Amino acid sequence: MAQIISPPLYERISIKNPIHRTLDVAVLFLLSSLLVYRLYSLDKHGFAWFLALLCESWFTFIWFLTANAKWNPVKYKTYPEHLSQRVEEFLPAVDMFVTTADPLLEPPIITMNTVLSLLAVDYPVHKLACYVSDDGCSPLTYYSLVETSKFAQLWVPFCKKYNIQVRAPFRYFSNESMISARNSLEFQQEWKMLKDEYEKFSRKIQDAAGKSVPWDLNDDLAVFSNIDRRNHPSIIKVIWENKKGLSDGLPHLVYISREKRLKHAHHYKAGAMNVLTRVSGLVTNAPFMLNVDCDMYVNDPQVVRRAMCFLLGSSNEREFAFVQFPQVFYDELKDDPFGSTLAVVYEYMGRGIAGLQGPFYGGTGCFHRRKVIYGLCPDDVGTEKNNATPVSSDKELLNIFGNSMEFIKSAAQALQGKTTSPRNLSNLVETEYQVAGCGYEYGTAWGTEVGWQYGSTTEDVLTGLMIHSRGWRSAYCTPEPPAFLGCSPSSGPTLLTQQKRWATGLVEILVCRKSPIVTAITAKLQFRQCLVYLFILTWGLRSIPELCYMLLPAYCIISNSNFLPKFNEPPIYGYIALIIVYSLYTILEYLQTGLSIRAWWNKQKMARVITTSAWLIGVLSVVLKILGISETVFEVTQKDQLNDNDSDSNVCKFTFDESPLFIPGTTILLIELAALIMGFFSGGLLQSQIGEILCSILVVMFFWLFFKGLFRKDKYGIPLPTICKSVVLASSFVYFCKWLSLD
């Protein structure tokens, strides 16, 4: 009998980009040529020339890392319909994790829409479980989750009956044009009924948010009375249990608020994820885990099946450790005024990195193999055939996973690839509380060898780095429409706070013992993948050369010196060519991605603002941590849904507050303005410093949002204390430049 060949679950397609490769090489050649010119003429110039050489050397290095990451782009195409033909009845279980930390910064209605979208995915219900981690220990979040389970009993059957694409109700009901595509009277009646029910559901949560405790559920909420979110015992409650394992019901829904004590480190989101991993390991112990942020709802009902195409389709399960979906935002504004879109990054950098060892772990929209999170290496895969585990004794398991024998048993089953029999969710309550305790991890390998890694505010990148260092690869899945959609930062403080946290965490990884610089020889990290990690880990460090390069024009104007060739000297054409080629190249990327030239310009402006403010403060935070002066802090990003009543003009305005994040940008702007005024009044300098003056004007254009903020009021204006501090710093810089010129 002829052997039946199973159809492939995914396809890897190489992308040919000869134009992009040519432009990559052209920019690198121009940068290298200008460095040679700088070195050749170094003895004829002074401090500004030398500083420009250092900055441009860094820019050349970063461009080399960029070209390396983009050089071999690939895309993956999944075939979930083939999955149905092959192993529909053998589909593995999946545990879905949602994390939230503050009901004020992360409104529960946003979190609940994410939960509803997860409960409604197209996957066997009895093989799904949803765990919600509430690090804020909020009765409002728990109450909202109870109400969500009630509404889900209407919402999930409706979505599956009519094959609804958008399964987050707040997005689905915001577009009433969807109903016109359905002519069925039955559908229209159910649609109207569901919309009314959703409005009641939303109103209940909004009304409860105005109370200190929503006392509608006295018995269940008694545990939250007089609770201190920083100092409380574990709270684990089963909101909904699919006791009979029905395929047409709802998945399990579990609320978890881990124990916190003032004298115990809780490791922010990484600690919460490890508690979710342990509790779910005791209850459902699914071989695969999905984690999403509270604002990233499922936009593609087939998302779990698409992930399974990679995780089940790879050879002997030794290839992909995790499947990462890109973060895409549903509320992006026209022309991207805040420069927050990641479309270009995902299209070129993301696909390029996918052609190497695989994309970074992005912290949300990612499917993991549980046994990889438990520390399994690719070389260990297959030992389960001999009923062996990567560790050889119970003592070793205790040292790694902690002193819960129930959990050790479940971890051993996961490492051996064994499936766990369905359990009654209420049977292991005592053990669940044990593994959720704040002292459970002491003396174990959690956060260092297994689980989500500790030591950085960007625990996702560090965890992904450790997985890649063990030799695993990762997959990059970019379906259309996007699998997950979230909300983008909608204000200046929110945007810069998020960027500061990222820069802080990445620099923490760069200087720690797990850095790819330190482990490059011993780890199974491919050389080019190591360069890719250097590309992202050096984000924060870029703030220093960029800040210096932006201040160079002002310094030269004030001190009557030059850092650029004069306009009658041939080398100036190399700089002009570099600017033209780079600008055309990046504009081409934006146009090919479907974005506008104005969006490109907004990105250029915001990139300079972010680099010299948020990233700079992030680096300073790590320096203070290394010196033992202060510790870095995980700051939760505020999640907002745009109000339809807000006018576009108000929504697009950049906002300020009294945060130190706005001092560097304001200072740079004041320095450039002072230099331009001094340059124009000096008159005779104009001909010899045309390049420096044009660069100074360009910097002012980059910080135009700050220029407008000087003259606006309320949240759209720069606060007076920030202006005063910046005036002092700018005056000191001008005095320093004058002093150097006199010297």
Side-chain angles (χ1 to χ4, degrees), residues 96-103 106 111-112 115 130-138 141-142 145 232 235-236 253-260 266 268-277 279 291-294 436:
M96 305 179 291
F97 301 154
V98 181
T99 52
T100 182
D102 190 325
E106 300 171 332
T111 305
M112 297 310 125
V115 171
C130 182
Y131 297 83
V132 179
S133 169
D134 175 21
D135 251 15
C137 194
S138 167
T141 302
Y142 173 71
L145 205 57
H232 63 83
I235 301 174
I236 303 175
L253 181 59
V254 182
Y255 170 92
I256 301 173
S257 183
R258 60 186 170 130
E259 181 185 15
K260 284 188 178 180
H266 56 83
Y268 310 111
K269 183 180 176 181
M273 291 299 300
N274 283 335
V275 169
L276 285 171
T277 302
V279 173
N291 88 278
V292 295
D293 286 344
C294 63

Side-chain angles (χ1 to χ4, degrees), residues 327-590:
Q327 292 186 45
V328 183
F329 304 125
Y330 61 80
D331 57 352
E332 288 181 347
L333 301 170
K334 183 181 179 182
D335 296 326
D336 190 26
F338 297 142
S340 57
T341 183
L342 299 173
V344 176
V345 175
Y346 289 138
E347 180 64 27
Y348 297 101
M349 297 297 297
R351 294 192 189 280
I353 298 171
L356 301 176
Q357 203 170 339
F360 312 120
Y361 167 35
T364 183
C366 189
F367 287 82
H368 292 271
R369 293 186 192 275
R370 184 180 289 270
K371 56 188 177 184
V372 174
I373 292 296
Y374 286 172
L376 194 77
C377 296
D379 294 339
D380 296 325
V381 175
T383 58
E384 61 267 18
K385 293 178 181 179
N386 302 317
N387 283 333
T389 64
V391 287
S392 57
S393 68
D394 289 343
K395 184 177 180 181
E396 286 184 89
L397 287 170
L398 283 167
N399 291 334
I400 293 172
F401 295 111
N403 59 5
S404 168
M405 293 308 298
E406 284 287 347
F407 180 75
I408 288 175
K409 181 180 178 181
S410 76
Q413 289 177 333
L415 288 168
Q416 293 170 1
K418 295 180 180 179
T419 57
T420 304
S421 304
R423 303 186 185 185
N424 188 319
L425 270 61
S426 59
N427 284 350
L428 297 171
V429 171
E430 184 177 342
T431 311
E432 292 167 15
Y433 277 87
Q434 179 187 1
V435 300
C438 61
Y440 181 79
E441 295 180 351
Y442 284 102
T444 71
W446 286 101
T448 56
E449 297 176 30
V450 300
W452 272 254
Q453 301 294 291
Y454 300 153
S456 170
T457 55
T458 52
E459 79 296 323
D460 47 1
V461 176
L462 180 55
T463 302
L465 172 61
M466 290 297 95
I467 291 172
H468 282 137
S469 296
R470 296 202 299 267
W472 288 100
R473 296 184 64 236
S474 55
Y476 187 56
C477 189
T478 56
E480 276 297 330
F484 297 94
L485 289 178
C487 56
S488 60
S490 58
S491 68
T494 301
L495 173 67
L496 296 186
T497 297
Q498 182 187 65
Q499 292 286 339
K500 175 200 166 190
R501 187 182 77 235
W502 290 352
T504 301
L506 294 173
V507 176
E508 285 177 318
I509 299 171
L510 185 67
V511 299
C512 77
R513 63 182 179 84
K514 298 176 182 178
S515 167
I517 298 176
V518 178
T519 62
I521 298 177
T522 58
K524 297 179 181 179
L525 202 63
Q526 296 175 8
F527 175 70
R528 289 184 60 192
Q529 185 76 10
C530 184
L531 295 180
V532 165
Y533 270 105
L534 281 181
F535 168 79
I536 189 173
L537 297 180
T538 54
W539 272 11
L541 297 184
R542 298 177 201 182
S543 60
I544 299 172
E546 284 222 27
L547 176 63
C548 293
Y549 210 72
M550 284 189 189
L551 293 178
L552 268 176
Y555 168 80
C556 292
I557 294 172
I558 297 170
S559 63
N560 190 19
S561 58
N562 295 91
F563 82 99
L564 289 173
K566 295 180 181 179
F567 263 68
N568 58 354
E569 296 176 350
I572 193 65
Y573 297 112
Y575 284 92
I576 295 174
L578 177 61
I579 293 171
I580 292 174
V581 172
Y582 173 79
S583 298
L584 290 177
Y585 182 19
T586 50
I587 288 173
L588 175 65
E589 288 183 330
Y590 264 70

Side-chain angles (χ1 to χ4, degrees), residues 22-42:
T22 302
L23 291 172
D24 281 332
V25 173
V27 172
L28 188 61
F29 172 77
L30 288 170
L31 284 167
S32 302
S33 300
L34 293 173
L35 285 183
V36 173
Y37 165 69
R38 288 273 186 201
L39 285 169
Y40 180 75
S41 55
L42 186 60

